Amino acid sequence: MNELIDDFLAELLLARGRSARTIDAYRRNLHQLRDFAADDDLTVQHALAPNQLRNFIAHLRQNSYSPASIHQNFARLRPAATSLREVNPDHAPDSQRLHVRYRTERKVLR
């Protein structure tokens, strides 16, 4: 999984011209997912399956992440899954299954 993460981060830097801070944020989030998946001996495809993403979200909640942080973390997984699908379709999650919605609470302005 480390090689896939490194390849994706290199693509962000070289092909998409993302900043070092953006790449660092992606790295942190992808490493969190990698560590979560490693605890259950999951492959990349299984780690990005909707039921596992729900478990990952629950894991982040248990570790006191704010709803906004969880939303950002989850949003960074989508481009990684898309990149994986383009580079290695055999190990990529099914694009139909990656649409797990996570809603944050909205603040009421007065």
Side-chain angles (χ1 to χ4, degrees):
M1 190 185 243
N2 285 332
E3 183 178 325
L4 294 171
I5 291 172
D6 292 341
D7 290 346
F8 173 67
L9 295 174
E11 177 190 336
L12 286 178
L13 178 65
L14 301 174
R16 299 185 189 179
R18 298 293 193 253
S19 74
R21 294 182 92 178
T22 298
I23 292 170
D24 189 47
Y26 272 93
R27 179 180 292 113
R28 281 192 311 271
N29 293 143
L30 290 167
H31 284 187
Q32 285 175 326
L33 178 65
R34 180 204 60 202
D35 295 344
F36 174 77
D39 290 343
D40 293 332
D41 293 326
L42 298 174
T43 64
V44 175
Q45 183 173 4
H46 289 106
L48 291 171
N51 61 336
Q52 290 302 323
L53 289 175
R54 286 185 194 97
N55 291 339
F56 182 55
I57 290 169
H59 169 74
L60 294 175
R61 280 186 188 158
Q62 290 172 350
N63 287 309
S64 302
Y65 281 77
S66 72
S69 294
I70 293 171
H71 184 72
Q72 272 187 333
N73 194 319
F74 186 70
R76 289 185 183 117
L77 297 177
R78 283 190 184 116
T82 301
S83 176
L84 174 61
R85 194 169 39 255
E86 292 169 358
V87 172
N88 195 347
D90 295 336
H91 293 92
D94 182 7
S95 62
Q96 299 295 323
R97 301 182 324 160
L98 192 57
H99 298 287
V100 175
R101 294 182 184 253
Y102 178 73
R103 297 179 188 219
T104 57
E105 296 176 11
R106 294 182 184 220
K107 295 181 181 179
V108 177
L109 299 175
R110 296 181 187 208

